[in-house]
Amino acid sequence: MTSVTPAPTPTGEQRGPVAHDSVPWGAVWGQEDAIAQLRAATEDPSQLAHAWLITGPAGSGRSTLAYAFAAALIAEPGDEAAMRQVLAGTHPDLAALRTEGVIISIKDARALVERSYFSPSLGRYRVIVMEDADRMVERTSNVLLKALEEPPERTVWILCAPSDADLLPTIRSRVRTLRLREPAVDDVARLIVQRTGVDPAIAEQSARLAQRHIGMAQRLATDEAARARREETLRSVLAVRGVGDAVEVAARIVQLATDDAKSLTAERDEAERESLLRTLGIAPGGAVPPAVRGQLSALEDDQKRRATRSLRDGIDRVLTDLESMYRDTLMLQFGRDADLINRELSDQIAALASAWTPERTLVVLDQIALTRTHLEGNAAPVLALESMLVTVASGRTP
């Protein structure tokens, strides 16, 4: 799905170590060094590269910073109306791609490349933002190469990815990389309190369990069911003792991830369907004429792809949570208990640390990483998790 995508907007006032209340940088939190570098690039053409790669851990604000940078590039200095138009995703000189699928398709990448060759219509530059650049397969990356090598004089590319290692060397060699810092747990907790008004203890717990991922921390802080699903998953894995348990818990994890994905997408799916029907002039509950069923079918296909991605992302979060639990186990095995992530399970984790050797814990961590690789290669989630949990139960790889 190729679309102009608005920058993420805060649900309340943001404050970090340093606050930037001005447009367009006001939505960027806790990345003062990055802001300074990008501001300099917008003010001095000699410091402006034609292609940028913004990297940082999940929740660090890569996309938010990308759109703020785009707004500063496109709008004339001081033109806040134009900057807000870019941040809203409606400026004609902004083109953006955020995939709703598991990977970025060649078709979508080509469409973005085509737009990159248009001259700016109103602004100083045409800016192309590609979120989730790490979701490109090699063939899709090759589509971008020429555009990144020889872009028009007034076109700037901004790619976003967790790490530069997630992109091909040929892409990395054609961009300037800007690495974001990871915020502290206390900083994220304060931000969540200011955004949502939740109890500070809940905010601290959520920031810690989310491992400083701002978006996930906010969701955990405001969604008790999401916190409960996370705890149920970890307790279920701690109870795995054999192959039978592994099979049962793997199915349960996929079900919990499915429920979580549905809770994130169901409301949006229904709103999109109702909006399309209104646009087509169809009353609520009315029959859909054959002539417009194709449009409805296309929407449903997009929603299915989004659901698939949401489920995969949910399972990936489960793997991240499991990594945090076995990381805590390893920390205790080496006598370090001051920086545990899953403090609420400290007694169970301490018992596990005593029962296992560090070598066994490392085998499990390696197997979790391998499971993530298998899932990225479209392995069946239940089978991949069953294999991983057999290793948890036995300490040996299948």
Side-chain angles (χ1 to χ4, degrees):
M1 177 180 177
T2 304
S3 62
V4 173
T5 308
T9 54
T11 56
E13 187 180 18
Q14 295 190 41
R15 288 291 183 271
V18 177
H20 298 276
D21 294 322
S22 61
V23 177
W25 309 105
V28 181
W29 178 83
Q31 300 293 346
E32 292 74 36
D33 292 342
I35 290 174
Q37 184 173 341
L38 295 181
R39 268 183 160 160
T42 63
E43 296 167 0
D44 182 359
S46 68
Q47 298 187 46
L48 180 62
H50 67 275
W52 296 73
L53 171 62
I54 299 177
T55 67
S60 60
R62 300 185 303 256
S63 298
T64 305
L65 183 60
Y67 288 106
F69 184 29
L73 285 170
I74 292 171
E76 294 291 341
D79 187 352
E80 289 196 5
M83 292 179 188
R84 293 184 188 280
Q85 192 177 3
V86 176
L87 294 175
T90 58
H91 197 286
D93 293 326
L94 171 70
L97 174 64
R98 181 183 187 276
T99 180
E100 298 286 7
V102 176
I103 63 171
I104 293 175
S105 71
I106 291 180
K107 177 184 176 182
D108 288 348
R110 283 177 177 157
L112 205 62
V113 168
E114 288 176 6
R115 296 190 67 176
S116 75
Y117 288 103
F118 297 163
S119 297
S121 58
L122 297 175
R124 297 188 299 157
Y125 294 92
R126 175 167 294 277
V127 179
I128 313 297
V129 176
M130 177 179 278
E131 300 185 49
D132 309 310
D134 54 305
R135 293 181 182 267
M136 291 188 293
V137 297
E138 183 172 355
R139 289 183 303 161
T140 307
S141 296
N142 290 335
V143 170
L144 262 66
L145 287 178
K146 186 172 178 60
L148 294 178
E149 286 174 343
E150 302 173 1
E153 182 179 355
R154 296 171 64 196
T155 292
V156 177
W157 282 82
I158 308 174
L159 311 182
C160 301
S163 166
D164 54 1
D166 294 318
L167 278 71
L168 294 178
T170 48
I171 296 288
R172 298 200 301 266
S173 67
R174 290 163 173 81
V175 299
R176 180 181 297 177
T177 300
L178 180 64
R179 295 177 177 85
L180 303 187
R181 76 174 188 87
E182 192 171 11
V185 168
D186 289 345
D187 288 338
V188 174
R190 281 194 294 271
L191 176 64
I192 298 305
V193 170
Q194 290 159 2
R195 280 187 178 184
T196 67
V198 300
D199 183 89
I202 294 293
E204 186 280 332
Q205 178 193 38
S206 300
R208 176 168 37 82
L209 297 181
Q211 298 179 67
R212 296 170 286 190
H213 184 302
I214 296 171
M216 182 53 59
Q218 182 164 326
R219 183 168 183 234
L220 289 174
T222 57
D223 188 342
E224 186 176 355
R227 296 198 303 273
R229 282 192 291 268
R230 183 188 187 278
E231 182 172 349
E232 180 182 346
T233 298
L234 296 191
R235 289 186 181 278
S236 296
V237 172
L238 284 169
V240 170
R241 295 291 182 269
V243 174
D245 292 339
V247 171
E248 181 179 343
V249 171
R252 182 59 180 156
I253 288 174
V254 173
Q255 184 59 54
L256 288 171
T258 301
D259 293 343
D260 202 44
K262 287 180 178 178
S263 72
L264 288 171
T265 60
E267 185 176 342
R268 177 179 173 184
D269 288 351
E270 184 59 29
E272 288 175 344
R273 178 184 172 86
E274 290 179 358
S275 176
L276 176 60
L277 291 177
R278 282 196 304 271
T279 301
L280 296 173
I282 301 171
V288 179
V292 299
R293 286 176 186 166
Q295 296 181 54
L296 195 60
S297 178
L299 173 63
E300 290 170 351
D301 288 342
D302 282 342
Q303 291 176 341
K304 287 176 182 177
R305 284 191 289 270
R306 184 167 65 212
T308 298
R309 171 177 168 172
S310 184
L311 174 58
R312 295 288 177 130
D313 288 348
I315 294 175
D316 188 75
R317 284 194 296 272
V318 168
L319 296 179
T320 299
D321 292 336
L322 291 176
E323 284 176 331
S324 75
M325 184 170 70
Y326 292 113
R327 171 261 188 199
D328 286 348
T329 304
L330 198 62
M331 293 280 284
L332 291 178
Q333 288 171 330
F334 284 99
R336 299 180 60 185
D337 60 359
D339 192 28
L340 297 184
I341 294 170
N342 300 279
R343 295 174 191 166
E344 293 74 18
L345 298 174
S346 58
D347 290 344
Q348 294 90 331
I349 294 173
L352 191 65
S354 298
W356 285 10
T357 64
E359 290 76 15
R360 177 169 175 175
T361 307
L362 289 171
V363 167
V364 169
L365 284 167
D366 287 344
Q367 190 65 22
I368 294 173
L370 183 61
T371 300
R372 177 174 279 116
T373 300
H374 289 162
L375 290 171
E376 289 171 353
N378 288 325
V382 171
L383 295 179
L385 291 172
E386 284 177 4
S387 179
M388 178 195 74
L389 292 174
V390 168
T391 297
V392 170
S394 66
R396 298 184 299 273
T397 55

